[in-house]
Amino acid sequence: MPFGRWRRLRVRQARKTIGLLAALALTAAVLAGCGRSAPPAAPGPNVGQQANDALPVAVRDTTLVTSAGRRLDLAQLAGKVVVISDMMTLCQETCPLDTANVVAAARDAERAGLGNKIVFLSVTIDPARDTLARLTAYRHLYAPAPNDWLTAAGAPGALTAFWKQLGVYIQKAPDTPPAPKDWLTGKPLTYDVTHSDELFFLDQQGHERFLLEGAPHVAPGAPLPPTLRRFMDATGRANLTHPDSQTWTLPQELQVLAWLTGHRIPGGKS
C-alpha cells in the first residue's frame, strides 16, 4: 500500500471480559465520531501509470536555467513534489493545452496552501529558440503567473540527454507551408519540433511516481491565453474543442498531487 500497511490485531485470548468489550466499544464509538478521513488514494491505471523509480543521474543533475535566470537542478528540489512537463513556446498543437492545465493546477495548489510544497517545472524541448526572454514572455501570457510554476531552458546538448533519459520523443521537422508566424515577433517560422507529451510526477525523495501521457482535456475556463489560442493550428483547435476520450484532465492531475502530498486540493476547473 502506498500509505503504509494496516496491521491486523490477532485475538490471543478466547475469553474477553465484559469490561474489555465495553472499552473497545467505547473506543470504536469515539473514533467513528472523529470524522477523520483517509489519506488521498493513489490514482488507478485508468488515470495514468504509477511507478517508483529513482531518476537517472543525467536527469537529476542536469543544470536548468529558469526564465528569471536562476540555475537549478532537480536535486535541489528534494523535499518537494515536482511536476515536470515538456513544452516549447512555439508549439501549436498540444503545449498550450498542457501548460493551461499545469498553470491551473499550480494556482489550485497555491490556493490550497501548498505553493511551497510543489514545484511545477515546464522545461523546453526547443532550446535553440526558447531563450530566457521568450520564456519570460510566455509566462507573462499567464499573468499573474503562479509562483510555484517555473519555465526553464538549458544547454541544447544537456536537454537532449535530459529528455532522452525520460523517454520523451523529439524530432525537428520543417513547417508545412504556409509558414506560421511567431506569436511574439510576427516573423515566419522555419521549422517545427514534433514531440510526445508527458507529465512526470516526482515525490519528495526525487523518485518518479506517476506519469500522465498525451494531450490533456482543457476544461472551459482554464487559463488558455488568447494569444496562444489564436496561434494554435487546426490540429490544436481540434484537440481543444474535441479532445480524445483517453486524454488526461485537470482533476486527474490534482488527484495525483493529492496522493503525493497527502492533502486534498480543491479546484479542477480553472
Side-chain angles (χ1 to χ4, degrees):
M1 286 186 179
F3 293 97
R5 297 180 178 178
W6 292 101
R7 295 181 179 178
R8 295 182 177 179
L9 299 177
R10 295 186 177 182
V11 178
R12 297 181 180 276
Q13 298 178 347
R15 298 174 61 184
K16 298 289 184 179
T17 65
I18 296 177
L20 178 59
L21 287 174
L24 289 175
L26 177 61
T27 300
V30 171
L31 290 177
C34 289
R36 297 178 61 186
S37 59
N46 61 310
V47 174
Q49 181 179 343
Q50 189 177 154
N52 191 7
D53 302 319
L55 288 177
V57 174
V59 173
R60 186 194 64 195
D61 294 343
T62 295
T63 299
L64 304 171
V65 184
T66 71
S67 59
R70 174 192 170 194
R71 299 171 68 86
L72 63 82
D73 57 45
L74 295 177
Q76 296 174 23
L77 300 178
K80 296 187 177 185
V81 170
V82 181
V83 183
I84 304 173
S85 58
D86 57 283
M87 55 75 70
M88 66 176 189
T89 64
L90 290 168
C91 176
Q92 293 182 282
E93 297 86 15
T94 57
C95 297
L97 310 182
D98 287 320
T99 305
N101 272 9
V102 166
V103 171
R107 289 175 177 170
D108 286 339
E110 283 191 338
R111 284 192 287 263
L114 299 174
N116 62 341
K117 298 182 182 299
I118 307 173
V119 174
F120 296 82
L121 186 59
S122 295
V123 183
T124 184
I125 58 167
D126 186 17
R129 296 184 295 190
D130 280 342
T131 63
L132 298 189
R134 283 198 69 93
L135 292 177
T136 298
Y138 192 70
R139 275 180 56 84
H140 283 169
L141 295 178
Y142 291 88
N147 292 326
D148 53 351
W149 172 52
L150 306 177
T151 55
L159 287 186
T160 296
F162 179 90
W163 290 123
K164 183 176 181 179
Q165 287 287 333
L166 286 175
V168 174
Y169 169 81
I170 301 172
Q171 182 65 51
K172 185 176 178 179
D175 253 317
T176 303
K181 293 184 179 180
D182 187 330
W183 59 264
L184 181 61
T185 67
K187 296 180 179 179
L189 302 178
T190 58
Y191 70 88
D192 191 13
V193 180
T194 59
H195 60 94
S196 55
D197 295 279
E198 280 89 14
L199 205 61
F200 301 90
F201 294 80
L202 312 182
D203 65 13
Q204 295 86 340
Q205 289 72 46
H207 285 199
E208 181 185 344
R209 298 302 306 278
F210 211 84
L211 175 67
L212 294 176
E213 297 183 271
H217 177 196
V218 177
L224 181 57
T227 297
L228 295 183
R229 191 183 293 267
R230 291 191 297 267
F231 181 65
M232 293 173 70
D233 60 15
T235 300
R237 291 190 294 271
N239 289 335
L240 177 63
T241 57
H242 297 88
D244 186 270
S245 60
Q246 300 302 312
T247 58
W248 58 273
T249 66
L250 175 56
Q252 289 173 336
E253 182 182 0
L254 295 179
Q255 183 184 358
V256 179
L257 292 171
W259 167 55
L260 291 175
T261 62
H263 296 277
R264 301 187 188 280
I265 304 175
K269 294 183 180 181
S270 62

